[in-house]
């Protein structure tokens, strides 16, 4: 009996040792797992700190860039203000120069008109007894270009605002070619004489003739039984630059003559003949 008790005791002691070994093994495994987790957490914290440092560095770079941008905006504002003042000054100077030149041109043109030089070609610009309808083409065959030169503008006695197409017709055989076609707008407050300068002169040859096409109301008066009979209705402009104008369209002897208050002006060069040179 005694031996049985001793054996049972030994068995129980052996079982307790095995249980302790299992527990110790589990404890060691838990400790190892905790160490690995601690290491993983430490790595994550290190990565977070690096990212936070990178964010701080980027914030610092952004702050520096914002300061640089503010400085650039300040300089740009100063430059823009200075340029605006400079541009305003240039505009004022240009406007003053243009006004001065225009005044000189007007004075010279008035001088030329007063002394009646031949630079003005056409009819006197006066009020007349009759008015026309609409869509009329007036070809001033009575006043061809006297010599080679340039046409600087037209004059008219206008009863009101209107549109005109100025055409330079160049003879080609018996017909004509539209060598130049320029639309202009006449804006007047009331009846009176108006001289309209072209933005660029028209280069003309001796024998060219001027035509005036009114696509709307003809706001220039005329006298009957005087002047030309070369005028006709034209609903739309079929004689644009480069088009041919038949002689039969211009010369219409069966209709009454008219003298319109229209002329043109410019600088024309008359060639001196050998006889005149010898004189």
């Amino acid at each position: 009996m005694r031996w049985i008790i001793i054996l049972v005791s030994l068995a129980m002691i052996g079982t307790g040792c095995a249980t302790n070994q299992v527990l110790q093994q589990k404890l060691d495994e838990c400790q190892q797992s905790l160490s690995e987790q601690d290491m993983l957490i430490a790595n994550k914290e290190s990565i977070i700190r690096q990212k936070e440092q990178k964010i701080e560095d980027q914030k610092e770079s952004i702050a520096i860039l914002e300061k640089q941008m503010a400085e650039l905006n300040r300089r740009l504002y100063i430059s823009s203000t200075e340029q605006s003042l400079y541009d305003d000054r240039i505009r004022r100077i240009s406007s003053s120069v243009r006004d001065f030149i225009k005044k000189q041109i007007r004075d010279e043109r008035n001088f030329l008109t007063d002394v009646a030089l031949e630079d003005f070609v056409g009819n006197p610009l006066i009020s007349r007894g009759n008015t026309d309808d609409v869509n009329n083409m007036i070809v001033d065959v009575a006043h061809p270009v006297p010599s080679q030169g340039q046409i600087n503008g037209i004059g008219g006695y206008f009863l009101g605002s209107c549109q005109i197409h100025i055409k330079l017709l160049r003879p080609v055989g018996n017909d004509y070619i539209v060598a130049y076609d320029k639309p202009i707008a006449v804006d007047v407050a009331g009846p009176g004489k108006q001289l309209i300068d072209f933005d660029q002169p028209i280069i003309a040859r001796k024998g060219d003739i001027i035509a005036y096409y009114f696509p709307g109301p003809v706001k220039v008066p005329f006298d009957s039984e005087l002047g030309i009979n070369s005028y006709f209705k034209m609903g739309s402009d079929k004689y644009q630059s480069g088009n041919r104008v038949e002689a039969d369209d211009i010369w219409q002897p069966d209709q009454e003559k008219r003298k319109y208050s229209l002329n043109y002006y410019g600088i024309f060069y008359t060639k001196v003949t050998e006889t005149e040179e010898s004189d």
Side-chain angles (χ1 to χ4, degrees):
M1 184 66 177
R2 180 180 176 186
W3 289 106
I4 293 172
I5 295 171
I6 293 172
L7 290 173
V8 171
S9 299
L10 290 173
M12 291 176 65
I13 294 169
T15 302
C17 291
T19 301
N20 291 335
Q21 290 178 356
V22 172
L23 292 174
Q24 185 64 40
Q25 184 179 357
K26 295 291 185 181
L27 180 61
D28 292 340
E29 291 177 355
C30 289
Q31 289 178 346
Q32 184 178 359
S33 177
L34 290 173
S35 298
E36 291 176 354
Q37 291 180 359
D38 290 341
M39 186 177 296
L40 182 61
I41 290 171
N43 289 335
K44 296 292 185 181
E45 290 177 346
S46 176
I47 292 173
I48 290 172
R49 284 193 298 271
Q50 291 176 1
K51 290 185 178 297
E52 289 177 345
Q53 183 62 41
K54 187 176 181 180
I55 291 172
E56 292 297 327
D57 293 341
Q58 290 178 344
K59 287 181 178 179
E60 185 177 352
S61 298
I62 290 172
I64 294 173
L65 291 174
E66 287 177 345
K67 290 181 180 179
Q68 293 176 348
M69 185 178 295
E71 177 63 19
L72 290 174
N73 287 333
R74 185 185 69 85
R75 296 181 183 181
L76 180 61
Y77 174 76
I78 294 172
S79 299
S80 299
T81 303
E82 291 176 347
Q83 185 65 38
S84 177
L85 294 174
Y86 176 77
D87 291 342
D88 289 341
R89 179 174 176 270
I90 293 297
R91 280 193 293 269
R92 289 195 300 271
I93 293 174
S94 300
S95 178
S96 299
V97 171
R98 284 196 297 269
D99 291 341
F100 175 78
I101 293 175
K102 287 180 180 178
K103 183 178 182 302
Q104 294 297 316
I105 292 174
R106 285 195 298 268
D107 293 343
E108 291 178 4
R109 187 170 60 200
N110 292 334
F111 169 76
L112 293 175
T113 305
D114 292 338
V115 298
L117 295 180
E118 292 182 353
D119 284 347
F120 283 77
V121 183
N123 298 321
L125 306 182
I126 60 175
S127 178
R128 300 181 187 273
N130 301 287
T131 56
D132 210 345
D133 194 3
V134 295
N135 305 122
N136 226 3
M137 174 87 157
I138 301 166
V139 186
D140 193 0
V141 293
H143 300 100
V145 174
S147 65
Q148 182 177 354
Q150 65 181 43
I151 301 173
N152 296 328
I154 66 161
Y157 187 93
F158 293 100
L159 303 175
S161 300
C162 60
Q163 299 287 327
I164 311 178
H165 289 247
I166 307 301
K167 300 178 185 293
L168 182 71
L169 307 185
R170 181 154 295 159
V172 179
N174 294 326
D175 299 331
Y176 292 84
I177 293 293
V178 181
Y180 190 87
D181 183 9
K182 180 179 184 60
I184 61 175
V186 180
D187 187 12
V188 296
K193 171 184 172 182
Q194 296 289 333
L195 299 178
I196 302 172
D197 297 326
F198 296 153
D199 51 1
Q200 292 182 347
I202 302 175
I203 305 302
R205 300 177 185 175
K206 182 178 181 179
D208 291 345
I209 57 177
I210 299 295
Y212 309 85
Y213 172 58
F214 292 81
V218 182
K219 294 293 186 178
V220 176
F222 66 91
D223 287 327
S224 299
E225 304 302 334
L226 297 169
I228 61 170
N229 51 21
S230 300
Y231 56 90
F232 52 88
K233 295 292 181 185
M234 188 166 66
S236 59
D237 190 359
K238 63 179 181 180
Y239 297 129
Q240 299 180 11
S241 183
N243 293 149
R244 192 180 192 90
V245 185
E246 301 289 339
D248 292 341
D249 291 339
I250 295 178
W251 303 99
Q252 301 188 26
D254 295 335
Q255 60 188 6
E256 68 173 6
K257 294 183 178 181
R258 291 179 178 179
K259 177 176 282 189
Y260 287 87
S261 288
L262 289 167
N263 62 26
Y264 61 93
Y265 54 89
I267 300 173
F268 306 104
Y269 308 97
T270 303
K271 184 178 180 180
V272 180
T273 64
E274 293 181 1
T275 303
E276 290 174 335
E277 288 178 349
S278 60
D279 294 342

